[in-house]
Amino acid sequence: MTSPFLRRRDLLRLAAGAGAASLLAACAGPGDSTSATGGGSGGGLTGPREGDLSFAHWRAEDKDVFDRIIKDFRSKNSEITVRQDISPSNDYQSTALQKLRGGSVGDAFTAFRGAQFLEVAKAGVWTDLTGQSVVQRYEPALITAGARDGKQLGLPYQLVFNMPLANTDLLTKAGVSAAPKDWDGFLALLEALKGRGVTPIAWPGGDAANAGQLLNVMVVNNAPTDDALGKIETGAAKVTDDWFLTVLKQYQQLRPYFQQGATGTGSDAALALFAQGRAGLLATGSFQVSGVRKLGATFGIDLLAPITTTADRARYEGVFNATFILGVNAKSAEQPAALAWLEHLSDPAVAGVYANGTAQHVTVKGVEYTNPDLKALAPWLTRRTALAPRFQFANLDVRGAVENAAVQVVGGKSPEEAAEAAQKVIDQKR
């Protein structure tokens, strides 16, 4: 059965965004001329399906759901065991490749879209899945972020929205009945929330992996082109350009609406502030809905992206991302078993267990969504959203410099000073 939330027009729209990502991926690896695969020491995808698998990922909040899926997998594949090797997202971004290269961790693994996917490809750690029947279980338009040089290296599993979560109960009490259509309206919303005695925006400014999520929606309508962040990495644009200074000046305007000590706040603390009903917005993304519920929140949740321009100049209402890219480690000696695990995850019924258990849409065909939060967020599948721009960076040092400029502004530095300092780092690192 085709997903009730992914109609043809949605796929065409998302295909355009994902195609842009594929193009950026093809262009975004300065100096990268190595093969996407190869160099693997594993025995290939054929052979006995048996062994002890390591499944490496960064979603600790999904552990219990994966445990249920593993139990089901074991009932059908008694010769294979699966162990979850979970690292915090920030650590996973920086250390996963080193561990995967050794082959002892991550027989099956995941990767972030963008820089990490490209780094793993450059290292020859992905096993080419082109032609495998498992690929046919996915919506083709939503897995291009896992393709490179004409090969399907990985399978993006999650379809998420990297934009602020909103406590709709608090918004109603603040007199907000609809999302603002422009920047002035967004600031008025924040002021109304502040007037209710709550923190308008909970922001994990001390967690680099999640602090930068807000940049997606701060950039997407201010940028002169959809690939503007990628151009900063290539040198075709600078953070000292007027459009990016506008972004930083808007961060400066948001400063009084973040929680106290925002630049030192970790992800868990920001999540708790929102889940306890003490913040109107959580500036991360839909991937944290399940975490909010696990902390006991019962209020209504929607997505609300700041429109950073006037209404007539806004091109997008928000952003989305296709990520959590599943793959088989080319260095693993258990590749047949790892492929069996990916096939299991890609079964529509199993993918439905994952989606509904973690409150995240997925890219697998024919999944039926029953989770109330997924139903509530379903309208976003048909709205004008852009592919999350922060993942255009192939160089994490450059991305870190750009995102840190926003953190520095919230911390008190002027937009001009923060931009000048960031551009110096970018010029050194790219």
Side-chain angles (χ1 to χ4, degrees):
M1 180 177 69
T2 300
S3 163
F5 300 141
L6 286 175
R7 297 191 293 267
R8 178 175 173 77
R9 62 173 176 169
D10 309 329
L11 294 175
L12 290 173
R13 175 182 57 77
L14 293 171
S22 181
L23 176 62
L24 285 166
C27 300
D32 176 13
S33 59
T34 59
S35 171
T37 58
S41 55
L45 293 171
T46 58
R49 293 188 163 195
E50 58 188 20
D52 300 321
L53 288 184
S54 162
F55 176 44
H57 66 90
W58 65 85
R59 291 279 302 179
E61 57 269 58
D62 296 352
K63 181 179 183 303
D64 291 346
V65 176
F66 275 128
D67 280 342
R68 288 165 48 200
I69 294 174
I70 289 170
K71 184 177 180 180
D72 178 52
F73 177 71
R74 285 273 294 147
S75 72
K76 301 168 183 172
N77 299 272
S78 60
E79 301 301 317
I80 305 174
T81 65
V82 181
R83 180 186 75 252
Q84 297 188 63
D85 283 309
I86 306 172
S87 301
S89 58
N90 213 25
D91 292 346
Y92 196 88
Q93 182 86 62
S94 59
T95 66
L97 177 57
Q98 183 178 359
K99 295 177 181 177
L100 294 172
R101 275 177 165 155
S104 59
V105 171
D107 302 292
F109 66 98
T110 59
F112 292 93
R113 178 190 141 230
Q116 188 174 52
F117 171 78
L118 294 170
E119 287 177 349
V120 176
K122 186 175 182 178
V125 175
W126 296 103
T127 298
D128 186 5
L129 300 177
T130 307
Q132 296 294 324
S133 61
V134 66
V135 177
Q136 304 306 313
R137 294 183 176 178
Y138 289 78
E139 298 287 359
L142 298 179
I143 60 172
T144 56
R148 183 164 171 78
D149 297 336
K151 298 177 181 178
Q152 192 68 48
L153 304 180
L155 300 167
Y157 198 53
Q158 300 173 350
L159 177 61
V160 299
F161 297 93
N162 311 61
M163 47 199 283
L165 303 181
N167 179 330
T168 58
D169 291 4
L170 284 180
L171 291 180
T172 298
K173 291 176 182 177
V176 178
S177 58
K181 301 295 185 184
D182 57 26
W183 182 244
D184 288 342
F186 184 69
L187 293 178
L189 176 150
L190 299 179
E191 193 63 31
L193 285 169
K194 194 173 183 178
R196 295 290 304 179
V198 299
T199 297
I201 311 177
W203 180 56
D207 174 10
N210 281 311
Q213 297 294 356
L214 182 60
L215 188 68
N216 285 306
V217 286
M218 297 296 287
V219 160
V220 73
N221 283 310
N222 279 319
T225 60
D226 287 348
D227 59 350
L229 287 185
K231 287 182 176 178
I232 288 174
E233 182 167 303
T234 64
K238 296 181 180 294
V239 291
T240 52
D241 291 346
D242 287 345
W243 72 269
F244 197 80
L245 284 175
T246 296
V247 172
L248 294 180
K249 288 174 182 176
Q250 290 178 329
Y251 267 98
Q252 189 178 42
Q253 288 180 285
L254 294 181
R255 191 184 297 163
Y257 300 111
F258 293 125
Q259 77 279 9
Q260 188 173 7
T263 58
T265 300
S267 186
D268 289 347
L271 182 73
L273 186 65
F274 180 74
Q276 292 164 4
R278 296 190 292 130
L281 306 177
L282 174 62
T284 52
S286 64
F287 50 86
Q288 288 205 307
V289 170
S290 65
V292 174
R293 294 303 186 205
K294 283 183 178 178
L295 291 178
T298 58
F299 51 76
I301 295 177
D302 202 346
L303 299 167
L304 195 156
I307 301 301
T308 56
T309 61
T310 56
D312 61 311
R313 291 183 53 221
R315 303 193 304 276
Y316 300 106
E317 297 176 83
V319 301
F320 76 96
N321 195 22
T323 187
F324 204 68
I325 303 175
L326 299 169
V328 174
N329 192 336
K331 312 293 183 182
S332 168
E334 313 293 350
Q335 291 181 35
L339 179 60
W341 171 238
L342 260 61
E343 290 173 349
H344 187 72
L345 290 173
S346 307
D347 180 277
V350 176
V353 170
Y354 177 77
N356 293 307
T358 63
Q360 295 178 107
H361 295 99
V362 292
T363 58
V364 176
K365 296 176 184 175
V367 172
E368 183 174 2
Y369 298 113
T370 57
N371 179 285
D373 287 314
L374 290 183
K375 290 184 175 181
L377 301 184
W380 282 97
L381 292 168
T382 60
R383 292 181 178 170
R384 288 179 294 124
T385 53
L387 197 59
R390 77 181 292 226
F391 301 101
Q392 293 172 11
F393 292 109
N395 184 322
L396 290 178
D397 289 332
V398 172
R399 189 179 93 179
V402 174
E403 295 178 350
N404 188 55
V407 175
Q408 292 301 310
V409 168
V410 175
K413 188 172 283 189
S414 76
E416 292 79 8
E417 289 176 327
E420 289 288 347
Q423 190 58 52
K424 289 180 180 177
V425 176
I426 294 166
D427 290 340
Q428 293 170 353
K429 298 294 185 180
R430 68 179 173 82

